Amino acid sequence: MEKRKLLIAESAEDFRNALSETLQGAYHIRTVGEGQQALQLLRTYLPDILVLDLMLPGLDGVTLLQQAVESGIRPMVLATTRYPSEYALAALERLGVEYVMVKPCDLHAI
């Protein structure tokens, strides 16, 4: 069985690296720390799963996801945030995101 492709779009380098190390071997993993780069990788790498930080620099996670959906790109999404807001949670729900984790979080829960 072929490994699923995972894109980790996370602004915090330590968390991004720790998550990548934790999941290494189970997925083909690409990582990025900035929103525009994440959108570009979504379009070219076409991941099955996206771990998406809502506070990415350059292009926030909600806007990135809106643009991806408009382009027909719909990976399974696990959104992460330190500051969940009613607006962001409602937007994520409209965009089909079912999983939101509040950081800091236990990497073994992912």
Side-chain angles (χ1 to χ4, degrees):
M1 184 169 151
E2 189 170 328
K3 292 180 190 177
R4 297 179 109 186
K5 295 191 290 184
L6 172 68
L7 174 59
I8 301 170
E10 170 60 50
S11 61
E13 184 177 5
D14 290 346
F15 183 68
R16 182 174 66 238
N17 291 339
L19 183 57
S20 179
E21 287 176 20
T22 298
L23 298 173
Q24 196 67 40
Y27 300 94
H28 292 289
I29 300 174
R30 301 282 303 267
T31 65
V32 65
E34 194 273 328
Q36 289 293 344
Q37 293 172 338
L39 183 59
Q40 182 62 33
L41 269 177
L42 268 176
R43 291 178 172 153
T44 58
Y45 182 58
L46 299 173
D48 301 299
I49 303 166
L50 170 63
V51 177
L52 178 63
D53 179 2
L54 298 183
M55 300 293 286
L56 289 169
L59 183 65
D60 69 89
V62 172
T63 304
L64 180 152
L65 195 53
Q66 288 170 334
Q67 291 183 20
V69 167
E70 289 170 4
S71 299
I73 302 167
R74 293 183 172 267
M76 179 188 303
V77 178
L78 167 63
T80 64
T81 184
R82 287 190 187 277
Y83 311 103
S85 70
E86 294 286 328
Y87 165 78
L89 295 176
L92 291 173
E93 187 175 345
R94 282 192 306 275
L95 292 165
V97 175
E98 296 181 19
Y99 306 101
V100 179
M101 290 188 84
V102 178
K103 297 185 284 187
C105 56
D106 181 2
L107 290 180
H108 299 291
I110 296 179

